[in-house]
Amino acid sequence: MSIKIPQVLSFQRGTIVSDGPLSSIVSSGDAERFVPIKVVRHGIRGINNTSKNGDAANIQRTESAKTATSAVGLAVEFAYRTLAAEKLLFGCSDPAYRLAVKGFVDRFFVRGVPEFDEVCLRYARNILNGRWLWRNLMLGDVSVSAEVKSSGKIYSGAGSRRKDFDQYTNDERALAQDVIASGFLSREAGAPTLSVVGRVAFGFTGEVEVFPSQNMVTNKPKGFARSLYKVDMISRKELISILSGASKNGEDAGEFMADMIDMGRAALRDQKIGNAIRTIDTWYPGYTDKIIPIEPNGASLDDNTLYRDALAVNAKGLLSKIDEIAPSATFNPDAAYLIALIVRGGVFSEGA
């Protein structure tokens, strides 16, 4: 028998992920150092793919990020921590439903429960396989290290196994149990914190274009191509000062200065990193080999499809059965999805 989802129902995100600043890996003898990568705004003379007044040129102002001249690779760093599962229910207007959620958490967020263990293992794999590097994966050989800040213990991955979830490595198993599961099962705020570093070795030395997150810009100015995500970015006041100087005449004109502007440090957005780590859903109906992120309706932006649009398998449909689902001798994919959905967080109110 289904239980009605209350008018107010929300879960807070069960993982804390920082932004991931990008650095050039510069080799000096046996040592390496990380040099921050800048986002530069500049002009390009592109090509019109469609005929516009017979003009083949497409003049644009855009942003790009490249490694240092002496770089042998790219490094991306972020911090990661999980929160206690018992604290993930953020808002609930129905005491009966609150008890149902507590019962589900008590039953499934337990070591040895296959669905819980599998979710933790999949998170561990997606941290150590470097899936979160996104387009930067194609630039060279990938390796990932995840260090527990409090103990210095390091878990390593070779940047592989991004298309399956089986035959877990010893490091993936240890990371899942020691850090991810421990965080969910912790009753205190002192869950282990990971410092994760992904390295991409180019196999040569030189300037290489890398790929931070992109910003969504509405009503872009004419001729502006793209905006990249950055941290420690230039202030709006300083940017206006630089651009306004370009309209002056004389030797102090800012025209050259405005051609190449250092906009800040390139970074992957925390949301983009988190989305890659929770790309673990192979439990939706009709699964073949497409792994999708944990989303309420199974949304995949890659192919613009909702894989869980049916009520029986989407978030609201399964949340209405949260009091019925219990561990058994058979692995329950719906339970695994619900565990991951609660960790993802979100607002699932029945009302407006």
Side-chain angles (χ1 to χ4, degrees):
M1 182 178 178
S2 298
I3 183 171
K4 184 176 175 59
I5 296 176
Q7 289 188 345
V8 176
L9 176 65
S10 62
F11 296 90
Q12 63 179 335
R13 210 175 308 165
T15 58
I16 299 175
V17 182
S18 73
D19 283 338
L22 276 60
S23 300
S24 298
I25 301 176
V26 177
S27 181
S28 178
D30 294 333
E32 66 178 26
R33 60 190 179 92
F34 291 177
V35 179
I37 293 176
K38 298 177 179 179
V39 170
V40 177
R41 182 171 293 187
H42 57 91
I44 59 172
R45 188 169 185 258
I47 296 173
N48 271 324
N49 291 317
T50 57
S51 177
K52 293 182 179 180
N53 301 322
D55 189 359
N58 182 19
I59 309 301
Q60 297 179 340
R61 182 163 291 276
T62 189
E63 293 181 348
S64 63
K66 292 185 177 181
T67 57
T69 305
S70 54
V72 296
L74 164 72
V76 184
E77 306 171 80
F78 71 92
Y80 178 90
R81 183 163 64 89
T82 57
L83 300 179
E86 64 178 16
K87 299 178 181 178
L88 297 184
L89 181 58
F90 186 72
C92 181
S93 58
D94 183 352
Y97 195 89
R98 182 180 291 273
L99 287 175
V101 171
K102 183 181 184 304
F104 180 85
V105 170
D106 290 343
R107 293 192 299 274
F108 279 99
F109 282 77
V110 178
R111 294 185 194 274
V113 173
E115 295 86 354
F116 175 70
D117 289 344
E118 181 64 18
V119 169
C120 294
L121 283 165
R122 293 188 178 202
Y123 269 70
R125 168 154 289 179
N126 277 351
I127 290 173
L128 294 181
N129 68 13
R131 182 190 294 275
W132 45 272
L133 287 164
W134 292 94
R135 193 175 173 185
N136 298 292
L137 287 165
M138 69 179 186
L139 298 177
D141 295 331
V142 176
S143 61
V144 180
S145 62
E147 180 180 356
V148 180
K149 290 187 176 181
S150 58
S151 67
K153 185 172 182 179
I154 295 176
Y155 308 88
S156 300
S160 58
R161 304 298 297 274
R162 292 186 291 272
K163 294 185 178 180
D164 56 56
F165 294 109
D166 62 359
Q167 299 178 4
Y168 294 102
T169 67
N170 290 336
D171 279 33
E172 287 169 344
R173 291 185 180 280
L175 176 60
Q177 288 298 313
D178 299 347
V179 178
I180 298 174
S182 293
F184 290 140
L185 302 178
S186 172
R187 296 183 178 274
E188 300 177 1
T193 299
L194 282 177
S195 176
V196 184
V197 182
R199 292 173 172 82
V200 183
F202 299 149
F204 58 84
T205 301
E207 295 184 47
V208 175
E209 184 175 9
V210 295
F211 304 100
S213 299
Q214 290 193 34
N215 294 320
M216 178 67 182
V217 180
T218 57
N219 299 321
K220 290 191 297 185
K222 183 179 180 181
F224 186 80
R226 68 176 179 180
S227 172
L228 298 180
Y229 185 64
K230 46 260 178 186
V231 294
D232 300 328
M233 65 182 295
I234 186 173
S235 70
R236 181 178 178 85
K237 182 177 181 181
E238 186 176 358
L239 179 61
I240 291 173
S241 175
I242 292 171
L243 293 174
S244 63
S247 63
K248 296 179 181 178
N249 297 317
E251 294 182 358
D252 61 344
E255 291 162 349
F256 177 77
M257 191 177 186
D259 283 343
M260 298 282 286
I261 306 172
D262 175 6
M263 299 297 295
R265 185 176 182 181
L268 290 176
R269 195 186 302 272
D270 60 338
Q271 184 182 32
K272 195 172 184 70
I273 294 173
N275 185 66
I277 293 173
R278 73 167 187 270
T279 300
I280 65 171
D281 189 1
T282 62
W283 305 304
Y284 59 89
Y287 167 74
T288 53
D289 60 354
K290 176 75 175 182
I291 306 173
I292 64 173
I294 296 295
E295 295 289 351
N297 294 303
S300 171
L301 295 180
D302 292 345
D303 43 16
N304 195 31
T305 300
L306 298 177
Y307 287 94
R308 289 181 176 273
D309 54 347
L311 182 62
V313 294
N314 67 16
K316 287 193 174 182
L318 292 176
L319 283 169
S320 69
K321 300 176 181 177
I322 197 168
D323 60 334
E324 302 175 9
I325 303 174
S328 67
T330 304
F331 185 91
N332 186 338
D334 288 345
Y337 170 74
L338 266 182
I339 291 167
L341 184 73
I342 289 172
V343 170
R344 174 198 178 271
V347 178
F348 305 99
S349 305
E350 190 68 61

